[in-house]
Amino acid sequence: MDYKYIEQLLERYWQGETTLQEEDILRSFFSQADNPDIPESIRKYQPLFTLEKEAPLGDDFDERILGMIEEDQPKAKIVTLTSRLMPLFKAAAIVAIILTLGNAAQAPWNYGWDDPKDEYAKFHQQNADSVNLLNPIQAENVNDSALAPKPEAPQYIE
């Protein structure tokens, strides 16, 4: 049998140029599934044309499709300024955390790694100097200071 006419109809079908009568010819041709002479290049299109016979659409097909379309309508989402800027806020928070941790990690190196014995000696030397400076002021009576002669300047022992 010559299948060139069927191949031409298929070619016109893919381009959308077939009439309803030509599509009926294709359906009736592919409904003959028992014919072993049909080449494999054409046989692969058989499920496309026999599907309607296997599962008819029914009278309420249009209503079901429209019902499914109406159910899937997406809801409008309200986008506020805060929600639009939220990624920017998150990025700024991350940068602030990284800078804070970087500064905290850098602090020991900024103050140096002096010997603890030297630091202890410097601390006591500063306390001793501040006590010597404050002694004359603490011994002086504020009310009598204007009438009394000024005491001699303290002498520091070096």
Side-chain angles (χ1 to χ4, degrees), residues 83-108:
S83 66
R84 289 195 79 180
L85 295 178
M86 190 57 68
L88 182 63
F89 295 154
K90 289 179 181 178
I94 289 171
V95 168
I97 289 171
I98 289 173
L99 289 176
T100 302
L101 292 176
N103 286 341
Q106 186 67 27

Side-chain angles (χ1 to χ4, degrees), residues 15-70:
Q15 294 175 1
E17 299 173 353
T18 55
T19 63
L20 293 176
Q21 291 82 12
E22 292 171 336
E23 290 177 15
D24 286 337
I25 293 171
L26 286 171
R27 282 189 205 93
S28 64
F29 172 77
F30 283 111
S31 65
Q32 304 168 1
D34 300 336
N35 190 351
D37 296 336
I38 299 176
E40 288 297 320
S41 63
I42 298 175
R43 188 180 300 267
K44 63 183 176 183
Y45 302 119
Q46 185 174 5
L48 178 67
F49 293 99
T50 59
L51 181 64
E52 190 173 313
K53 283 189 176 182
E54 294 172 7
L57 298 177
D59 295 334
D60 63 339
F61 175 74
D62 292 336
E63 294 171 7
R64 287 186 293 158
I65 293 296
L66 289 175
M68 290 169 51
I69 290 173
E70 289 173 1

Side-chain angles (χ1 to χ4, degrees), residues 12 37 53 63 69 77 89 105 120 125 132 144 158:
R12 291 184 61 218
D37 296 336
K53 283 189 176 182
E63 294 171 7
I69 290 173
K77 182 179 178 184
F89 295 154
Y120 186 74
Q125 181 63 35
N132 289 338
D144 297 338
E158 294 186 21

